[in-house]
Amino acid sequence: MNDIIVKKIEELKKSKNAIIAAHYYAPPQAQQVADFVGDSYYLAKQAKNTDADIVVFCGVGFMGESVKILNPYKRVFMPDINADCAMAHMADVERIKQLRNEHDDLAVVCYINSTAALKCHSDVCVTSSNAVKIVKSLPNKNIFFIPDKNLGSFVAAQLPEKNIILNDGCCPIHDAVTPEQVHLSKAEHPNALVLTHPECRSEILEMSDFIGSTADIIRFANENDSDEFIICTEDGVGFELHSKNPSKKFYFVSKELCCKDMKLNTLDKILRVLENEENEIFIDDKTRAKAIAPLDRMLELAE
Ligand code: 13P
Ligand code: SF4
């Protein structure tokens, strides 16, 4: 059954000059039919460079929105329009305005996991793979980091010269990892290295051997000589980790590390959007004109 769906998807990709982009958290079947699989930064960059007329984005809402903002003349679709990132909504425009009044030199640094509306009020976007580099390069001392308090405190710990004001938002999945789970996993697998996404709490980061984006975690595991790794990020990365490293062992620190929204990107829905051209992303001109500036600045500063 899947073979027939995959064949139809491949035919439609050709006939419609479409590409499929998938985040590492998307289901394995989506990653298998994708032309690009990567972390948020890589996908934002690739989508900007593609010649395709149609991009089907297997991720969550803010990712599809970012592709559309960066590529206004391409048609961008999502297999499931309800796939959303809870954290993307966890910041408040009024608080941004208030802090801008309080600090003359404030830079609002917006983790890409945020709505287009929040990006409109931000100075620069970052992803987990470039946040430290970009914040360090800003001339501003006062930084309001939205929406993720965990990534924000990871950046703050490395840049003591900055005054980083944290916002009360987080990823409910990564934030739920506990030190007890890490201790338990380490006791079960004493030789394993702990690889962690910076959306986890600082206590977890302190117990880790490596901290990085999804792509950084995969790269580290590919290149490191160890045979065993404890993984503190969403379980979708397991597909790439196992495919690239069949002889290595990967233990997810908790069974709860599953982003249900990412799993909405199923093969049958990918086929349906390619066939019917439903679930298109539209961004109004006013929002796009404002939201593109922090995304472009990220692409410039991350290089
Ligand atoms: P990456 O930027 O590491 O791909 O992470 C995105 C994300 O949503 C993590 O929860
Ligand atoms: Fe958002 Fe968390 Fe899902 Fe990443 S894992 S998309 S931050 S809810």
Side-chain angles (χ1 to χ4, degrees):
M1 178 60 183
N2 275 0
D3 289 353
I4 300 169
I5 300 182
V6 170
K7 192 163 174 275
K8 284 188 185 165
I9 289 174
E10 293 303 335
E11 284 164 7
L12 284 162
K13 279 201 307 194
K14 272 203 198 96
S15 64
K16 297 197 173 188
N17 191 25
I19 56 148
I20 299 177
H23 189 266
Y24 284 125
Y25 295 165
Q29 296 80 0
Q31 296 190 40
Q32 277 170 316
V33 293
D35 300 275
F36 306 109
V37 184
D39 67 0
S40 313
Y41 176 61
Y42 173 81
L43 292 170
K45 241 178 28 175
Q46 283 306 121
K48 192 162 163 100
N49 295 335
T50 177
D51 294 332
D53 298 315
I54 287 179
V55 179
V56 176
F57 200 100
C58 303
V60 287
F62 76 83
M63 295 179 175
E65 276 183 358
S66 299
V67 174
K68 183 67 187 176
I69 292 164
L70 289 166
N71 301 279
Y73 304 113
K74 291 191 200 311
R75 299 183 69 198
V76 181
F77 297 87
M78 296 203 42
D80 190 317
I81 206 77
N82 296 315
D84 197 10
C85 169
M87 178 164 64
H89 305 268
M90 292 185 192
D92 175 20
V93 171
E94 287 314 307
R95 175 83 177 129
I96 295 176
K97 288 182 182 162
Q98 183 200 344
L99 284 169
R100 284 203 193 276
N101 281 335
E102 287 172 18
H103 302 274
D104 286 344
D105 75 327
L106 191 80
V108 178
V109 175
C110 178
Y111 187 24
I112 198 167
N113 295 42
S114 55
T115 60
L118 285 169
K119 290 185 176 85
C120 289
H121 293 271
S122 302
D123 298 296
V124 63
C125 285
V126 296
T127 72
S128 52
S129 68
N130 59 35
V132 174
K133 180 179 178 180
I134 289 180
V135 175
K136 191 175 179 175
S137 74
L138 298 176
N140 319 58
K141 180 171 172 61
N142 291 303
I143 308 286
F144 184 30
F145 194 99
I146 60 167
D148 187 7
K149 63 180 175 191
N150 292 332
L151 180 61
S153 57
F154 170 68
V155 173
Q158 289 177 73
L159 302 175
E161 69 275 24
K162 302 281 184 187
N163 174 36
I164 298 192
I165 304 162
L166 297 176
N167 171 73
D168 193 15
C170 63
C171 164
I173 295 141
H174 287 83
D175 191 65
V177 176
T178 64
E180 293 69 32
Q181 289 170 333
V182 181
H183 281 306
L184 200 68
S185 224
K186 279 185 166 199
E188 283 173 12
H189 311 289
N191 298 323
L193 296 180
V194 181
L195 316 185
T196 299
H197 197 281
E199 286 179 11
C200 292
R201 291 180 190 196
S202 57
E203 307 93 275
I204 309 301
L205 305 191
E206 280 158 21
M207 301 168 82
S208 302
D209 297 293
F210 178 77
I211 300 159
S213 75
T214 51
D216 294 334
I217 287 175
I218 291 166
R219 199 174 306 116
F220 183 91
N222 291 349
E223 290 171 4
N224 192 276
D225 289 337
S226 299
D227 300 325
E228 293 181 89
F229 302 91
I230 294 165
I231 306 296
C232 303
T233 191
E234 209 268 353
D235 65 7
V237 298
F239 177 65
E240 180 76 4
L241 286 171
H242 285 115
S243 335
K244 288 273 158 41
N245 305 281
S247 62
K248 296 186 182 179
K249 294 209 161 51
F250 299 100
Y251 312 106
F252 281 84
V253 75
S254 144
K255 287 194 172 50
E256 310 298 314
L257 276 164
C258 176
C259 178
K260 292 190 177 53
D261 286 82
M262 284 284 187
K263 306 309 178 211
L264 293 171
N265 294 289
T266 56
L267 215 47
D268 55 329
K269 289 182 195 164
I270 296 172
L271 176 59
R272 208 161 61 215
V273 288
L274 277 167
E275 277 173 345
N276 302 340
E277 301 186 6
E278 57 195 33
N279 299 343
E280 186 162 359
I281 309 276
F282 295 103
I283 304 278
D284 66 81
D285 291 347
K286 209 168 133 211
T287 302
R288 183 189 171 261
K290 284 189 182 163
I292 195 167
L295 281 166
D296 271 342
R297 198 161 175 213
M298 171 185 79
L299 293 171
E300 192 187 304
L301 293 177
E303 281 313 308

